[in-house]
Amino acid sequence: MLPRFVSSSVIFPSAPDTRLSRCFATTADGRIALQPDWPQLLERLAQIPQVALQNRHAYARLIGLAPLPRGDFPSGNLIDSIARVTADYDLWSDLWARLSVCDCCQSPGRIEIVNQTGTEFMQICAAPKTEPAAWANEIVSFANRSPDDLFVPRNQAEAQHTMPMLSLRARPLPTRANAIHPLLHAMADEGHAIAVNLRTAEVSHYRILVPTSIHYDGVSLEVRDGITTLQLVHSADSQLHVEETETGRWVHVADSQKTLLLSFGPATMGGPTHDAWEAAIETLSA
């Protein structure tokens, strides 16, 4: 039987003949307990030139490889020119760090944040070229907590994401959900930006991107622009809806229970990009 705690360390050379190390107490599966001081943690991570902020639920994932937005950290309202994060800290339950290289992106470490059911809804990862020792230095001041206090995480099969419901103002469009792909292609072909918003009960993650890569295989959609990656898996009963807002019309992907999965909208409040977006939506309504 594995022991409850094991020793984990990051060792790196500081001079030709010396070695320094950071050692962390971990759970048997390698999790390092961090203090759930959400505003201070986000403010510290916002000082790093580049991190990967990822939010997700069962059907969608939104990732931004950039500095964290800054703003009012105590209230959880963070914003910059291309991203906005609105956090409800009351629904954030626990967090931990891992110091191991990710197989898919080569990040040397990450922080995982879970909700009150133990389901992960957010990751903040070191950029792929970050030195492990540098990432260890970022988390060490928050790692003054016993791993024995950590929430037991749920696996994906048991994940319980709390999702917002579709606005009552939204009306269904007479088209299948996969019609979102030609709409995105129409914007990308003309070099126009779009806005995307992924929401769970715990956080809203909004980003602006100009798609340079759009891939759809009949089930899943992936959109990239070098900074942002969006992934969406269509549920069997997903449908598109349109909502009139102060900034223009938004297109929502929702399931048959009116659960909101992902939203797309105008990146600007006027000008050619806004006009192109409105024209593209008209093709969905025809």
Side-chain angles (χ1 to χ4, degrees), residues 59 176-178 218-219 233-239 253-256 261:
Y59 294 100
R176 297 178 61 86
N178 59 12
V219 177
V233 177
H234 287 299
S235 64
D237 58 356
S238 60
Q239 186 178 3
V253 184
D255 65 15
S256 62
L261 306 181

Side-chain angles (χ1 to χ4, degrees), residues 175-184 216 234 240 280 283-284:
T175 183
R176 297 178 61 86
N178 59 12
I180 194 68
H181 315 137
L183 182 150
L184 298 179
Y216 177 61
H234 287 299
L240 297 183
T283 66
L284 298 179

